[in-house]
Amino acid sequence: LQHWTSVYTGAAIMCNRESPFHRDPKCPPEGFDILTCIGGYGNGIMQLTNLGIDLAYDSGVMVSYSGRLMRHGVRVGKGDRIVWAWFMRDSVH
């Protein structure tokens, strides 16, 4: 790829996946990930455990946070969903 038009150095698409609690150690601490969720499902919850925050993670929600600093995980109910995740990596800059 000769030209990359985003400030984000990586992107991922995840389908119908829950995520256990974790941090993203390869991301820079000052970098904020952006996740956008769509689909036909209910009762999605994103937890930022070190802040004690539970976020409604339903279709149409966009979330931004530091994946390296925030311990996070996702629980979802039944149904189908797709998440677009944009993130940065220290090794690419």
Side-chain angles (χ1 to χ4, degrees):
L1 192 62
Q2 188 173 3
H3 300 286
W4 183 257
T5 60
S6 175
V7 298
Y8 291 95
T9 56
I13 298 173
M14 297 164 277
C15 297
N16 296 334
R17 182 172 172 233
E18 288 192 343
S19 177
F21 296 120
H22 68 283
R23 287 191 174 99
D24 301 321
K26 294 182 181 179
C27 294
E30 67 278 1
F32 275 61
D33 303 339
I34 294 180
L35 284 73
T36 304
C37 206
I38 63 167
Y41 67 96
N43 302 320
I45 301 290
M46 173 175 271
Q47 295 177 290
L48 303 175
T49 58
N50 52 334
L51 294 179
I53 295 175
D54 290 353
L55 302 171
Y57 200 54
D58 296 326
S59 186
V61 168
M62 183 177 273
V63 178
S64 183
Y65 59 92
S66 171
R68 184 168 179 171
L69 298 178
M70 296 296 115
R71 187 169 182 263
H72 55 283
V74 174
R75 293 187 328 241
V76 294
K78 300 227 183 253
D80 293 318
R81 73 184 187 106
I82 297 173
V83 175
W84 277 268
W86 293 90
F87 51 88
M88 295 181 185
R89 289 287 188 258
D90 274 333
S91 60
V92 177
H93 289 283

